[in-house]
Amino acid sequence: MESVSDAAPRALEGIRVCDLTGQLAGAGATRYLAALGADVIRVEDPVRQGRWDILRGAPPYRDDRRGVDVGGAFNNHNVGKRGITIDLRQAEGRELLTELIAVSDVLTENFSAGVMDRLGFTPDEVKRINPQIVYVSQCGFGHSGPYRDFKTWGPVVQAFCGLAALSGLPGEPPAGWGMSLMDHVGADFMTIAVLAALVQREVTGLGQWIDVACTEAGVTMLGPALLDWTVNGHDTPIGELHSNHSVSPAMVPHNVYGTCEDDTWVALACRDDHEWGALSDLTGVPDDGLTAATLSERLASQDVIDEHISAWVSTRSAHEVVKSLRSIGVPVALVARPSDRIRDDDDLREWNLWPSVTHPILGTVDVDGLPVHFDVTDWDIFRPAPCLGEHTDEVLSSVLGKSRAEIESLRGRKVI
Amino acid sequence: MPSMLEGVRVVEFASDVAALAGKMLAELGAEVLLVEPPGGHRSRRYGPLARDLPDGNNSLWWHYYATSKSSIVADVDQPDDRAALHSIIESADVVIEADDPGVLGAAGISRESFSSVNPRLVWLSVTPFGSGSSRSADPAVDLTLLAAGGAVWNCGYDDHSKPPVRGGGNQAYHIASVWAVKAVLTALLARRALGGKGQHVEVNAAAAVNVTTEQATYFWHVAQATVQRQTCRHAHANPTQSPLVVCGDGGYAHSGVLPRRRREFVEILRWLDELHIGIEDFPDRVFLEMALEHEVVDISRAPYDDEVAAIMSAAREAFVVIASRMPDAQAFFVRGQQAGLTCSPVNTVPTIVEDPHLRARDFFVSAPVGESQTFEYPGAPFVAKSAPWRLAHSAPVIGDQVTNWRGWDSER
């Protein structure tokens, strides 16, 4: 399939990625590189049909068909990549991977710590094969330390790094995040590691090995709450925290309120006295002596203000609340369901946030786009995720220079 | 030792949403010059405050996000300051603008004004909803970005009479910042393909949240299914069991990924034995023993296979019983992980700061603040031994002299 774009240069043109990642935390990283023009060659295991990546063949499904090539999540996370199979248990398979590393700019993997070492691809060995290569390894706890061999998954990273405990309401257990936030963000940090090392390589001509620990990346996302403990010895315990309120920066009101419609909510906040003045005029300040002109007064009366706003919102539709608050310049948003933001949001469609790819089995399906636009070298997502081994012959021939007979021989010996 | 972004010069107009982006670039080795309005950027006054002292240099927000940056105060409405800013940007690689879209442009500071004098310049704009959006002029905060982007819908409790929850820590700003860093680095690399030229890049913060919602989005893409929030686990189209368990001291732990393989069920049974939890204490143990008949239990069959459903339910219940007999979440975590079970304590800030693994990896770093204090910060988001991340210095205070920027006269 050809790109729909014209011949404009691609941002990462000429960058070849030998990609052993999987799941979202790894595959999400190389997905970005592919969208910006890198040639990402995903290497998978023919013996287990690529199922080391638990998303290969996993739900959601389009219809009743099942199999390694019809998983909706896998398709979303692997658009734009080429896919090949190599059995790394075999010496010949490892030799093929060595050849691919030798002609690549980037090597990425997110196996458990130690797997690449056991296969023989230690950082030193990879550097010996190709001194220019940027080699980025990612796992939950990194490649050293007492938890080196422990395993994670997005919500477990979030629990460990403190992000899950930053989410909740008073009198309740932690609410967590309702999604694998740290699979996304772990992938983002992996991408940053790749890109920053490529920037440095332009100066030095040399590659390097980088150890990404998703749990540590997560701790860097805690923000000022961490300093509040290390500097002040202050922490708000689980069960007392109200994360729909905001203490940094302090704002009142700042909350999620229920509308008159079933399970339909709006979020709103006043950043300053002026916005509170406009909101209190709109909603009618209760006539019981509430003094709330300044932030310190509003902080002291937060519960009363929440009750007041809550009562006002509860008799109105979300559409009415959002429209009213927008008209007075107060930050407001519908708590958007998937349909609100994917099906019904014209701005996001206009941004091309949900491009389509045409998969040979799934057919045409929407996928995530990128929340960024470059005015010259913009991203492009047009190729679906590879079916298992879809590009093995093509890559072995055009990248590694193997003849048809050599490829057939490798296939006959189940190396590919 | 060289840093990854050594020699890259960034001019960052101070903001809330992109503050982390500037910090990340600075700590990867770029020179980052923060431009603040007269009186300092408003975030210098955000709480919490160090030792609850109110004076202008105690904002822990500022101390978190402005590390490793230099700072100048400039009034874009004053011709002299505008001229000085022009002079600075003429030698910069990157400009970051994120506050009040349009304000800089109205003052004559835009990428177009540098296209001839500094064609290599990468100009990054972070906007709440996209500059072409019908909401482009709407004010936004972290809460409303997370709500508009779908993150709040995903998060909360099984009881839907309770509101959805916005997770803390200003993660919409962090997500936008992480995308901003990716975009800047990509544009720096793209200069090679463009004969050295920079370009304009825009990050849309609400869109960034939208594509950080994982299965909430792709379940819609593929099956038009709407996920529903559940307590401390993935929002899902079909209800799932809670992974949250309470340990002997009342602390929470996350029991992680459901076991699938025989060896995992063997380990859970061994753990139950170790704690003397027999069939009389935990009757569902029988289902765990049934699981031993399978090499791998196909958990996708649970909705229509009673045996698989019973095994999965028993596994979660086993963790509840086990956790209640473990002294605390850390003990539960270490014992579970040593048996190959993917679990975790639900750490709070105090427990994460003391964690022995992070301490062994020297993750946390310290820097002097003023003449008499030392603050401890999170360290590198990844370890690059040959080009280390580094926190160069604590956040600048108003009045710090900036002397090393071409085009900026610190005696002005």
Side-chain angles (χ1 to χ4, degrees):
Chain A
M1 188 180 303
E2 293 304 315
S3 166
V4 295
S5 71
D6 57 20
R10 312 295 309 279
L12 302 179
E13 187 98 50
I15 299 293
R16 181 177 294 134
V17 182
C18 173
D19 182 24
L20 291 141
T21 65
Q23 332 296 346
L24 170 58
T30 51
R31 174 191 208 276
Y32 175 87
L33 304 175
L36 270 303
D39 180 15
V40 177
I41 299 170
R42 197 187 148 116
V43 181
E44 297 183 88
D45 175 21
V47 178
R48 291 190 56 209
Q49 292 197 300
R51 286 185 190 266
W52 166 76
D53 184 339
I54 58 170
L55 297 178
R56 229 210 203 286
Y61 302 118
R62 198 91 198 266
D63 48 37
D64 293 338
R65 291 174 298 172
R66 300 291 180 269
V68 294
D69 292 325
V70 300
F74 184 89
N75 182 55
N76 190 65
H77 304 335
N78 292 283
V79 289
K81 305 176 187 178
R82 296 200 277 180
I84 68 173
T85 49
I86 302 178
D87 181 3
L88 298 175
R89 296 168 195 79
Q90 299 194 44
E92 278 187 288
R94 295 192 292 277
E95 179 52 36
L96 271 183
L97 185 66
T98 301
E99 291 178 36
L100 187 56
I101 289 169
V103 296
S104 293
D105 301 278
V106 177
L107 171 63
T108 47
E109 61 94 6
N110 68 324
F111 296 125
S112 299
V115 169
M116 287 296 276
D117 288 1
R118 286 195 290 278
L119 288 169
F121 297 99
T122 63
D124 284 345
E125 176 60 13
V126 170
K127 184 178 175 184
R128 189 195 64 74
I129 297 167
N130 182 351
Q132 286 85 40
I133 202 163
V134 169
Y135 179 9
V136 181
S137 296
Q138 181 214 61
C139 61
F141 289 104
H143 287 67
S144 65
Y147 307 161
R148 174 185 187 273
D149 297 325
F150 291 3
K151 296 176 177 56
T152 61
W153 164 68
V156 165
V157 172
Q158 288 145 218
F160 184 87
C161 74
L163 281 171
L166 280 190
S167 174
L169 297 177
E172 299 293 335
W177 283 85
M179 59 192 184
S180 285
L181 170 66
M182 277 310 301
D183 280 349
H184 283 288
V185 176
D188 292 333
F189 277 92
M190 189 177 200
T191 309
I192 289 169
V194 168
L195 295 170
L198 286 173
V199 170
Q200 187 181 19
R201 192 181 74 158
E202 295 206 323
V203 178
T204 64
L206 295 173
Q208 59 187 302
W209 178 65
I210 299 173
D211 178 16
V212 184
C214 286
T215 48
E216 290 174 344
V219 178
T220 72
M221 304 285 277
L222 295 178
L226 193 131
L227 287 189
D228 199 18
W229 174 254
T230 61
V231 175
N232 289 335
H234 175 258
D235 175 62
T236 305
I238 292 168
E240 294 180 26
L241 180 79
H242 193 319
S243 67
N244 284 348
H245 286 167
S246 180
V247 294
S248 182
M251 286 180 257
V252 179
H254 183 287
N255 212 336
V256 174
Y257 303 94
T259 69
C260 68
E261 300 149 292
D262 181 44
D263 205 22
T264 301
W265 308 77
V266 294
L268 67 90
C270 288
R271 296 171 296 177
D272 54 33
D273 300 343
H274 172 77
E275 288 178 356
W276 165 249
L279 183 67
S280 58
D281 285 349
L282 177 74
T283 59
V285 181
D287 188 20
D288 60 358
L290 175 66
T291 307
T294 67
L295 176 62
S296 56
E297 288 167 341
R298 289 196 297 282
L299 281 164
S301 304
Q302 185 153 219
D303 291 345
V304 178
I305 290 170
D306 271 343
E307 281 174 29
H308 165 63
I309 304 291
S310 204
W312 186 83
V313 171
S314 69
T315 60
R316 289 164 170 81
S317 70
H319 175 78
E320 185 182 353
V321 173
V322 170
K323 188 176 171 193
S324 304
L325 268 68
R326 282 187 73 194
S327 72
I328 58 169
V330 169
V332 64
L334 171 67
V335 174
R337 292 174 166 81
S339 55
D340 295 322
R341 59 193 177 81
I342 303 169
R343 184 190 61 196
D344 300 337
D345 191 317
D346 293 339
D347 281 340
L348 295 178
R349 285 269 164 210
E350 184 67 23
W351 181 273
N352 193 25
L353 196 63
W354 316 119
S356 296
V357 296
T358 302
H359 187 281
I361 300 171
L362 293 172
T364 300
V365 59
D366 286 356
V367 295
D368 294 355
L370 269 52
V372 54
H373 281 307
F374 297 76
D375 72 351
V376 184
T377 60
D378 208 10
W379 55 273
D380 195 359
I381 289 174
F382 60 94
R383 194 207 300 262
C387 293
L388 186 70
E390 181 180 342
H391 305 98
T392 303
D393 290 31
E394 172 186 312
V395 169
L396 262 55
S397 166
S398 67
V399 177
L400 300 183
K402 302 293 181 196
S403 68
R404 179 169 295 279
E406 286 173 305
I407 293 169
E408 286 313 314
S409 171
L410 287 165
R411 181 164 287 122
R413 296 196 303 285
K414 299 189 185 310
V415 177
I416 57 176
Chain B
M1 201 174 284
S3 295
M4 289 174 136
L5 303 184
E6 192 160 296
V8 174
R9 293 162 63 89
V10 179
V11 175
E12 176 193 352
F13 286 88
S15 71
D16 294 354
V17 65
L20 182 66
K23 173 184 168 76
M24 289 174 66
L25 293 168
E27 288 162 2
L28 289 170
E31 284 181 85
V32 178
L33 182 68
L34 203 48
V35 180
E36 301 180 70
H41 188 251
R42 61 177 182 272
S43 61
R44 283 183 179 271
R45 295 177 282 281
Y46 289 171
L49 302 173
R51 296 179 179 81
D52 295 326
L53 297 169
D55 104 80
N57 287 320
N58 287 306
S59 161
L60 292 179
W61 172 291
W62 184 258
H63 277 290
Y64 190 85
Y65 292 111
T67 51
S68 310
K69 303 176 185 177
S70 303
S71 161
I72 58 170
V73 170
D75 184 346
V76 297
D77 293 327
Q78 295 301 320
D80 286 355
D81 282 12
R82 259 201 320 270
L85 285 172
H86 267 273
S87 178
I88 289 170
I89 294 170
E90 281 176 14
S91 68
D93 295 282
V94 179
V95 168
I96 298 175
E97 65 160 349
D99 254 7
D100 303 322
V103 168
L104 284 180
I109 301 172
S110 65
R111 179 170 175 269
E112 292 68 33
S113 50
F114 297 95
S115 54
S116 60
V117 292
N118 185 5
R120 292 174 54 78
L121 186 62
V122 171
W123 189 287
L124 171 78
S125 304
V126 182
T127 58
F129 302 107
S131 53
S133 159
S134 60
R135 289 169 289 186
S136 63
D138 283 8
V141 295
D142 181 82
L143 167 69
T144 56
L145 291 170
L146 287 173
V152 176
W153 175 260
N154 285 355
C155 181
Y157 296 100
D158 297 324
D159 175 358
H160 282 201
S161 70
K162 295 185 173 63
V165 174
R166 163 255 188 181
N170 292 305
Q171 301 308 328
Y173 296 166
H174 291 176
I175 290 165
S177 282
V178 167
W179 275 95
V181 173
K182 294 199 297 189
V184 163
L185 296 175
T186 303
L188 290 174
L189 287 166
R191 293 198 300 201
R192 185 180 52 171
L194 298 176
K197 286 191 176 171
Q199 58 185 311
H200 179 248
V201 191
E202 180 180 359
V203 169
N204 173 335
V209 175
N210 261 281
V211 295
T212 309
T213 53
E214 203 208 5
Q215 64 184 34
T217 297
Y218 60 72
F219 266 73
W220 181 268
H221 286 328
V222 177
Q224 285 73 55
T226 297
V227 300
Q228 302 292 339
R229 63 189 182 276
Q230 312 185 95
T231 305
C232 206
R233 60 195 188 277
H234 275 83
H236 208 284
N238 302 304
T240 61
Q241 277 185 281
S242 175
L244 209 56
V245 294
V246 180
C247 299
D249 67 347
Y252 290 103
H254 193 295
S255 59
V257 183
L258 276 170
R260 290 183 300 158
R261 300 177 195 290
R262 182 188 292 142
R263 62 176 164 75
E264 294 167 324
F265 289 100
V266 167
E267 290 295 344
I268 295 172
L269 286 163
R270 183 175 294 152
W271 201 352
L272 287 166
D273 289 342
E274 200 174 289
L275 295 168
H276 308 293
I277 301 168
I279 199 104
E280 62 287 356
D281 300 312
F282 178 50
D284 282 2
R285 186 185 160 117
V286 65
F287 296 113
L288 301 180
E289 286 160 0
M290 285 167 66
L292 301 181
E293 294 162 18
H294 307 271
E295 187 58 39
V296 176
V297 176
D298 181 358
I299 60 175
S300 69
R301 296 179 59 82
Y304 48 88
D305 184 324
D306 289 346
E307 182 185 334
V308 171
I311 290 170
M312 293 298 102
S313 173
R316 281 285 182 230
E317 285 304 315
F319 286 126
V320 171
V321 177
I322 286 169
S324 71
R325 305 278 184 96
M326 296 299 286
D328 55 36
Q330 179 70 10
F332 175 82
F333 160 62
V334 172
R335 174 64 184 81
Q337 285 276 5
Q338 285 173 342
L341 301 168
T342 305
C343 57
S344 174
V346 178
N347 276 318
T348 57
V349 173
T351 56
I352 200 72
V353 168
E354 297 306 318
D355 182 76
H357 176 79
L358 298 180
R359 290 286 163 191
R361 280 170 63 90
D362 294 323
F363 173 70
F364 294 98
V365 295
S366 294
V369 174
E371 292 182 358
S372 58
Q373 303 182 85
T374 299
F375 287 180
E376 190 169 41
Y377 306 84
F382 45 76
V383 179
K385 285 190 176 141
S386 59
W389 175 99
R390 87 279 185 274
L391 191 148
H393 54 77
S394 59
V397 300
I398 288 267
D400 273 358
Q401 295 294 298
V402 176
T403 56
N404 60 339
W405 275 79
R406 253 192 326 276
W408 180 254
D409 174 4
S410 62
E411 301 303 318
R412 288 157 37 78

